[in-house]
Amino acid sequence: MLQIVGVSILSFYPDWMHCKSLGIDKPLLGSTLYVLVHYILPGSVEANLSAVWRDIETFYHELGSENRYGHMRQTMFHTKSQPKLKGKAGEVKDLCPVMVLLWKKYMNPTLQIHQKILVVLQGF
């Protein structure tokens, strides 16, 4: 393509999914979901996951997210070694702002660790 007259490296426009590393996004979002479902919410893991999924769907709608997860199972973010979210780059990208709203809903604003998690989530 660079042999075409008028085409140079400046003709290319990189998109988010091919430039941003998902190396930290997937473990961070998976870990956040894990903490919400296993430690912060008071019910059983299944009930907590259902509540979180309802909120995710609501926030998707409010934000007008294009690339959405169709459903959420615990196996999508719980692995043997560490929590890590599974999914396509577009799904992960559009879940980031949703996770900020989700975390704000359930976090304890008086806990410093919860405040730090919020700062990291807002950095996406």
Side-chain angles (χ1 to χ4, degrees):
M1 286 181 34
L2 294 175
Q3 303 303 318
I4 301 171
V5 176
V7 175
S8 72
I9 193 67
L10 300 175
S11 302
F12 294 93
Y13 184 78
D15 66 340
W16 181 91
M17 288 186 279
H18 293 99
C19 294
K20 184 171 187 313
S21 169
L22 296 177
I24 188 157
D25 296 2
K26 288 183 172 187
L28 177 65
L29 296 178
S31 296
T32 304
L33 286 167
Y34 187 88
V35 168
L36 281 170
V37 169
H38 287 271
Y39 296 106
I40 293 179
L41 296 174
S44 69
V45 172
E46 294 79 19
N48 293 344
L49 185 57
S50 293
V52 165
W53 179 245
R54 281 191 302 275
D55 290 333
I56 288 172
E57 286 183 315
T58 300
F59 294 140
Y60 271 151
H61 180 72
E62 288 176 10
L63 296 173
S65 302
E66 293 180 19
N67 301 299
R68 303 175 181 192
Y69 280 93
H71 60 283
M72 186 69 60
R73 293 185 310 268
Q74 186 180 1
T75 57
M76 293 175 69
F77 58 86
H78 185 242
T79 63
K80 292 180 181 178
S81 60
Q82 68 176 8
K84 182 178 178 183
L85 184 65
K86 295 178 185 175
K88 297 177 183 176
E91 294 169 336
V92 173
K93 173 186 169 278
D94 284 358
L95 186 62
C96 291
V98 169
M99 287 300 295
V100 171
L101 297 175
L102 187 66
W103 185 254
K104 283 181 177 180
K105 180 176 179 174
Y106 292 112
M107 70 178 268
N108 181 342
T110 62
L111 292 177
Q112 192 175 52
I113 188 69
H114 286 205
Q115 295 168 8
K116 290 179 180 181
I117 292 170
L118 178 61
V119 168
V120 174
L121 288 171
Q122 289 173 327
F124 286 108

